[in-house]
Amino acid sequence: MYATTYHKPKTLAEAVKLYTNSDEPSYLSGGHTLIPTLKSRLAAPAHLIDVRNIPELFGIEVTADKVIIGSATKHAVVAASGEIKAAIPALSGLAGSIGDVQVRHMGTIGGSTANNDPAADYPAAVLSLDATLHTDRREIPAEDYFQGLYTTALEPGEILVRVEFKTPEIAGYAKFRNPASRYSMAASFVARHRDGHIRVAITGAGNEGVFRWTEAEELLTVNFSAEALEGLTIDPSRMMGDMHAPADYRAHLVAVMTRRAVQNLGGTHIL
Amino acid sequence: MSRITITVNGAPQTREVEDRTMLVQFIREHLGLTGTHVGCDTSQCGACTIHLDGEAVKSCTVLAVAADGSQVTTIEGLAEGGKLHDVQQAFREHHGLQCGYCTPGMIMASVDMIRRHDGMLDEHTVRHELEGNICRCTGYHNIVKAVLDAAEKHRAAHAVAAE
């Protein structure tokens, strides 16, 4: 890792000011993607601005129809929250399936959502649960937020403050993990919202990162059951392919995981 | 460079460190506590597991400056007055190690696991929860036995305390 200068601002305004006035800055949250990236010298920010001392970035609020989570909240805290488990068990289970125990003690929802790794878990929940991303300067609907691999609508210096999920009528999450890295090779988050609309978000598989599988949504709108998805396939040209799983295998997994998510509504199915 | 103070195994330690220093480097090279190991150095193997403010984390992926003001426990901080911690003792009795390289991380992760579950563990849960710790001797069988034994001791001790 190259030399860098560390900052620990205590307010949002101070963090943004540091970012604006620094040459080659980067925000740091749990660091469980960023620090390995710095150690392998794939990035070399001159200034690291740690956001974990800013009080607005913490806290969980569960209302009648929303679950709102501060961006610096760790995965372990989300997974352990009884309130979240009662409101959206699939979201709670998703948080508890990220990485391993030690990773969940450091990694944060904001870090995962801001980084938008194509194999990260949270982006699937954000998109499927029709979330609103609150930043230091505006609100962004999930639909407009994800813009391709490691790319989001966040402007340089913009800080994700909290994620506001719509509590669905029911949701399920199914994930097939890479047996070595434990990252998703294909995962599907299926939600039926209270107004009846269905959202299916796929992570780990698409060559443009997380995406909505609209064909599956249409079939599930007519018949909300795994049987409705029998025979539905996805074009492998939309899939990532690598040494772990070629595109056609990932396409197959997307269909299987989506059916499994529907078969496991109200929880998760982690393989 | 930053001047930081981290309380390690109960003793405040103040050092001048480069901002890029990892917590594991601070523990091993600045404090000379070499019980915490570096295996993969990519937050996968768990050999560097320590407790940061009471929670198991991989110290190869935490900046020392970010831990300024925190409480850290390393493998050296578990035994009390020459008496091994129950988890250390269980690893010894069940031969929960082969080469021993992963052992400090395994023990720190196990202490954290037993605390979080208040000793209520079964074999499936132990194996699942140790997914962040890799033993390349593949000596998991005795490691799991050791954790289950220590968990049982934890439950027994707490049952006695409750009476």
Side-chain angles (χ1 to χ4, degrees):
Chain A
M1 178 170 166
Y2 291 107
T4 187
T5 302
Y6 175 85
H7 306 270
K8 214 173 189 172
K10 291 190 173 62
T11 65
L12 271 175
E14 198 188 333
V16 174
K17 194 174 160 200
L18 269 167
Y19 192 100
T20 312
N21 295 338
S22 300
D23 195 25
E24 294 183 58
S26 175
Y27 289 126
L28 168 71
S29 185
H32 271 48
T33 300
L34 182 57
I35 291 176
T37 307
L38 302 185
K39 285 167 77 173
S40 51
R41 295 187 170 180
L42 295 170
H47 297 270
L48 279 178
I49 303 165
D50 192 335
V51 298
R52 289 170 294 177
N53 276 273
I54 304 172
E56 293 102 302
L57 271 51
F58 290 87
I60 291 170
E61 189 190 346
V62 177
T63 68
D65 55 357
K66 289 186 176 107
V67 169
I68 304 159
I69 305 175
S71 64
T73 308
K74 296 169 185 177
H75 309 322
V77 174
V78 174
S81 161
E83 274 188 303
I84 295 177
K85 195 171 185 180
I88 318 177
L91 179 62
S92 164
L94 174 149
S97 80
I98 300 171
D100 53 50
V101 172
Q102 293 97 317
V103 168
R104 294 194 290 274
H105 281 153
M106 291 300 298
T108 66
I109 183 171
S112 170
T113 309
N115 189 51
N116 192 20
D117 186 301
D121 294 88
Y122 270 124
V126 169
L127 196 54
S128 178
L129 295 174
D130 196 10
T132 302
L133 294 306
H134 294 257
T135 77
D136 60 304
R137 57 198 73 169
R138 59 182 169 146
E139 294 176 8
I140 311 172
E143 200 72 2
D144 302 334
Y145 177 81
F146 297 107
Q147 301 187 347
L149 305 179
Y150 303 102
T151 311
T152 70
L154 291 173
E155 295 163 356
E158 188 169 11
I159 299 179
L160 192 54
V161 176
R162 58 187 178 275
V163 183
E164 179 186 312
F165 296 96
K166 284 196 180 80
T167 305
E169 187 184 287
I170 194 135
Y173 183 58
K175 168 164 70 164
F176 189 91
R177 293 181 293 184
N178 177 317
S181 74
R182 322 302 278 165
Y183 269 102
S184 157
M185 289 211 298
S188 179
F189 200 108
V190 175
R192 180 158 75 180
H193 286 271
R194 290 173 180 183
D195 62 5
H197 92 277
I198 309 260
R199 282 206 176 194
V200 177
I202 307 293
T203 189
N207 55 16
E208 290 180 14
V210 69
F211 66 95
R212 276 175 68 184
W213 191 12
T214 49
E215 291 87 351
E217 291 177 357
E218 284 158 18
L219 290 174
L220 289 171
T221 303
V222 177
N223 173 10
F224 193 54
S225 75
E227 288 71 46
L229 300 170
E230 287 298 336
L232 179 67
T233 55
I234 193 160
D235 184 356
S237 71
R238 294 178 67 187
M239 300 288 107
M240 291 190 282
D242 56 28
M243 62 187 280
H244 305 295
D248 57 346
Y249 179 47
R250 274 197 167 85
H252 177 75
L253 286 176
V254 165
V256 175
M257 287 305 111
T258 302
R259 292 199 298 270
R260 298 276 176 94
V262 176
Q263 285 160 350
N264 290 275
L265 290 167
T268 54
H269 179 71
I270 311 294
L271 293 171
Chain B
M1 298 288 282
S2 295
R3 190 173 177 79
I4 60 169
T5 300
I6 301 176
T7 301
V8 180
N9 301 328
Q13 302 283 358
T14 302
R15 298 286 189 283
E16 195 83 24
V17 299
E18 272 195 278
D19 287 2
R20 62 176 159 179
T21 308
M22 290 300 152
L23 182 55
V24 70
Q25 213 180 332
F26 178 81
I27 291 167
R28 287 178 55 86
E29 294 170 26
H30 293 251
L31 305 183
L33 295 172
T34 53
T36 304
H37 293 169
V38 178
C40 67
D41 208 13
T42 55
S43 65
Q44 295 177 65
C45 81
C48 65
T49 301
I50 55 103
H51 296 175
L52 177 61
D53 290 329
E55 293 183 327
V57 303
K58 294 177 175 177
S59 60
C60 76
T61 309
V62 177
L63 289 169
V65 279
D68 184 22
S70 302
Q71 301 274 339
V72 164
T73 306
T74 69
I75 188 74
E76 290 92 343
L78 287 185
E80 279 179 37
K83 185 179 174 292
L84 292 179
H85 185 283
D86 280 347
V87 178
Q88 290 173 305
Q89 186 63 32
F91 269 68
R92 187 177 173 205
E93 283 169 12
H94 292 274
H95 195 62
L97 60 143
Q98 289 181 30
C99 83
Y101 199 86
C102 71
T103 312
M106 286 283 181
I107 290 177
M108 297 311 287
S110 302
V111 170
D112 176 78
M113 186 197 314
I114 292 169
R115 174 189 61 78
R116 279 183 292 106
H117 291 270
D118 201 18
M120 303 298 285
L121 288 167
D122 56 26
E123 183 185 337
H124 175 78
T125 310
V126 172
R127 287 185 184 273
H128 175 67
E129 291 246 337
L130 280 179
E131 70 181 343
N133 292 77
I134 296 172
C135 167
R136 279 308 66 156
C137 305
T138 69
Y140 297 104
H141 200 62
N142 285 351
I143 291 170
V144 173
K145 273 197 216 168
V147 179
L148 287 171
D149 185 24
E152 199 180 313
K153 285 205 177 79
H154 176 95
R155 288 201 304 272
H158 283 241
V160 169
E163 276 169 13

